[in-house]
């Protein structure tokens, strides 16, 4: 497989569910990241009460292997149904995910879905961050999700519930797609 075609893939590329914790999807070194594209519904799903402290880094989510062509997912990453304190990306070399060419790049939703951090990623660009490769929506936070952080230079990669009293977005790179 070359990473430039769509195959018949499952509903979820990767599912972390039901009290799963401490998992790492991808990695910092060349070749440790995953190509998570062309799935029927979701690239990466992190779901359920007690599902916490998982790390997703160094992956191509919605792009082809070259990081510039599209093989999108309807949802790039979803964190929901009470999952908390998960980290998407990071500020270490190699930790950036490219989350592009999906209908929704990142969706954080549901009561109890809190204290998640999405930082240091390219959302809506190619792997180099220089060309638009837009999602329909970059990041959506909804349905009572709270205390989540998008962007910013926060606490390296530690997980903590001592976050601000509201969700906020800062220092993120997004490309918006014009509706037809």
């Amino acid at each position: 497989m070359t990473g430039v075609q769509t195959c018949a893939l499952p509903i979820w590329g990767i599912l972390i569910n039901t009290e799963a914790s401490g998992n790492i999807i991808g990695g910092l070194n060349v070749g440790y990241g995953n190509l998570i594209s062309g799935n029927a519904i979701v690239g990466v799903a992190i779901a359920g009460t007690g599902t916490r402290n998982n790390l997703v880094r160094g992956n191509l989510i919605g792009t082809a292997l070259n990081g510039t062509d599209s093989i999108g997912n309807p949802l790039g990453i979803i964190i929901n149904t009470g999952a908390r304190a998960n980290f998407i990306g990071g500020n270490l070399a190699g930790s950036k995910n490219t989350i592009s060419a999906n209908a929704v790049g990142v969706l954080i939703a549901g009561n109890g879905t809190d204290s998640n951090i999405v930082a240091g990623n390219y959302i809506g660009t190619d792997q180099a961050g220089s060309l638009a490769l837009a999602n329909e929506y970059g990041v959506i936070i909804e349905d009572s999700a709270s205390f989540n952080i998008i962007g910013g230079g926060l606490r390296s990669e530690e997980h903590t519930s001592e976050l601000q009293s509201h969700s906020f977005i800062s220092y993120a790179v997004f490309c918006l797609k014009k509706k037809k």
Side-chain angles (χ1 to χ4, degrees):
M1 176 178 273
T2 64
V4 294
Q5 70 238 10
T6 302
C7 300
L9 294 176
I11 293 173
W12 300 283
I14 296 172
L15 173 61
I16 303 171
N17 197 14
T18 316
E19 298 185 13
S21 65
N23 299 289
I24 299 173
I25 307 303
L28 299 176
N29 299 324
V30 174
Y32 280 47
N34 300 288
L35 177 63
I36 307 169
S37 299
N39 295 285
I41 304 291
V42 179
V44 178
I46 302 173
T49 303
T51 303
R52 62 182 344 145
N53 299 322
N54 296 290
L55 182 58
V56 179
R57 63 183 181 191
N59 300 290
L60 297 172
I61 302 170
T63 72
L65 190 59
N66 63 13
T68 59
D69 292 322
S70 302
I71 308 178
N73 305 289
L75 287 168
I77 297 175
I78 184 170
I79 305 171
N80 69 344
T81 59
R84 60 185 319 268
N86 296 286
F87 202 98
I88 310 300
N91 60 7
L92 299 175
S95 62
K96 162 188 61 68
N97 295 290
T98 301
I99 307 167
S100 301
N102 303 289
V104 176
V106 180
L107 173 61
I108 302 174
N111 191 28
T113 305
D114 62 56
S115 306
N116 297 289
I117 299 173
V118 179
N121 300 289
Y122 285 146
I123 299 174
T125 71
D126 68 345
Q127 186 176 15
S130 58
L131 299 173
L133 194 57
N135 300 293
E136 290 290 326
Y137 298 93
V139 177
I140 298 173
I141 301 174
E142 65 180 10
D143 196 23
S144 300
S146 57
F147 305 104
N148 296 288
I149 296 174
I150 310 299
L154 298 171
R155 297 185 191 91
S156 185
E157 291 191 0
E158 71 183 58
H159 298 279
T160 180
S161 59
E162 299 171 4
L163 301 176
Q164 299 293 324
S165 61
H166 60 278
S167 298
F168 71 91
I169 299 175
S170 70
Y171 303 106
V173 176
F174 299 104
C175 257
L176 302 177
K177 187 174 187 178
K178 185 176 180 181
K179 288 202 168 205
K180 296 178 184 177

